Structures are given as structure tokens and as C-alpha cells.
Amino acid sequence: LTGTKEGCGEGDCGACTVLVDGISVNSCLYLALMAEGRSITTIEGLAKDGRMSEIQNAFIRHGAIQCGFCSPGMILSAEHLLSRNTNPTEEEIRRGLSGNLCRCTGYQQMVDAITEVATEIPRCRSISIKSDVAPFLILLLFTAPAMWIAPPKSSSFSVRVVLPASGWAMTA
């Protein structure tokens, strides 16, 4: 693993950023004992089946990689941001990258890359149905085949159905 870089050694530059249980941290400040039993993701861990992640590809498309020293930390910070906020504003993106320093790009290309990926994240529209009457059947009509849900014979229950392909979710 050579992606994570040591920069300042003081937590100021973000070159050493990794994800610990999905949270971006400066590895130069993170004690090894604290990592026991946790999931650590470096830049190499974003690739799936030998193919770079969408955020990695977007950084390349937008010229957000110059010398490459800060890129792993920037990309992992972007990954963390997008896992928490799928529709960030430009200000939120800049704040999400604020712990990372870059001397080459001027940051705009990175903001553009993250914005592009954020616009491609499927959004889930939700509707809620509440009822005191049970049992009843709900027919969900989506682009996927219709689905019947039969709740238990109790008046207190909750069902959540998510169909990512159609972007719809239903809570009953």
C-alpha cells in the first residue's frame, strides 16, 4: 500500500487521510491501538474488481490530480463527505475538503469532480402511509413488478420498502 502519504506528521495537511469505519481521519494522529477491530480503508480500497471508484475517475476527468501527492487524502475525504451528504452544496464540499491541502490545482477541479459524482447519486423519494387499521394490504406500483406487503395482525408495525432502481421508498 503506497497511496497514503506522510506529509506534515501533525494533522495539518490531510495527505495521510484514511477512512476508519467510514469516517475520514488523519492517520498520522490516529494511534495504532485505536485501529484494532476497525475497518480501515486506504485509497487502494476504493477500487472494486480492479476498477477505480466513481470519485477516483471523476478526479481524473476533471484534472483534479496534478502531482498526486494530496489526491488519496482528497479522494477519501470526498468519499466520506458523499457517504454523509449525497447532495452537498459547493460550500459543503469546500468545507469537507478543508482538512486537506493542495499546492497544485486550486481546488476548483476537485469541487467540480465531487459535484459531478453527487449529481449521479440516485436519490430516494419517500412516501409515508400511516394507518390504525390492521391488517391491510399495500400495493406498490413502481417500474419494478408490483409488490404486495401483508403486515402482521397487529396495529403496531412498520415496513420500509426501498426500490433503488426506481428511486422510490415507502414506509408504512
Side-chain angles (χ1 to χ4, degrees):
L1 300 175
T2 60
T4 303
K5 308 292 186 244
E6 181 184 356
C8 66
E10 298 177 359
D12 291 331
C13 72
C16 66
T17 301
V18 297
L19 300 178
V20 178
D21 293 334
I23 308 286
S24 62
V25 300
N26 292 331
S27 63
C28 68
L29 300 178
Y30 200 81
L31 300 175
L33 288 172
M34 296 166 50
E36 185 177 350
R38 303 212 179 250
S39 172
I40 310 293
T41 304
T42 65
I43 190 69
E44 292 89 354
L46 290 185
K48 301 291 183 226
D49 299 322
R51 294 177 19 201
M52 289 189 295
S53 71
E54 194 53 42
I55 191 69
Q56 289 171 305
N57 284 317
F59 266 59
I60 292 168
R61 279 193 304 276
H62 286 272
I65 297 177
Q66 300 284 316
C67 78
F69 193 80
C70 71
S71 300
M74 290 285 189
I75 291 170
L76 287 167
S77 292
E79 183 73 21
H80 173 240
L81 170 68
L82 292 173
S83 74
R84 302 291 188 266
N85 182 354
T86 60
N87 193 22
T89 64
E90 181 173 338
E91 180 183 332
E92 291 168 328
I93 292 171
R94 289 185 182 278
R95 195 174 327 118
L97 297 178
S98 66
N100 300 77
L101 301 178
C102 176
R103 296 180 181 192
C104 302
T105 67
Y107 301 97
Q108 188 57 50
Q109 297 95 323
M110 296 172 194
V111 171
D112 294 342
I114 296 166
T115 301
E116 175 188 295
V117 172
T119 61
E120 294 173 1
I121 295 173
R123 304 286 186 265
C124 181
R125 297 178 301 266
S126 296
I127 58 174
S128 293
I129 298 175
K130 298 185 189 286
S131 175
D132 297 329
V133 181
F136 65 92
L137 296 176
I138 302 170
L139 174 62
L140 304 176
L141 299 172
F142 298 102
T143 56
M147 181 182 302
W148 287 92
I149 298 174
K153 295 185 187 238
S154 144
S155 60
S156 174
F157 68 92
S158 178
V159 176
R160 176 139 175 97
V161 178
V162 178
L163 300 173
S166 65
W168 281 95
M170 176 178 239
T171 303

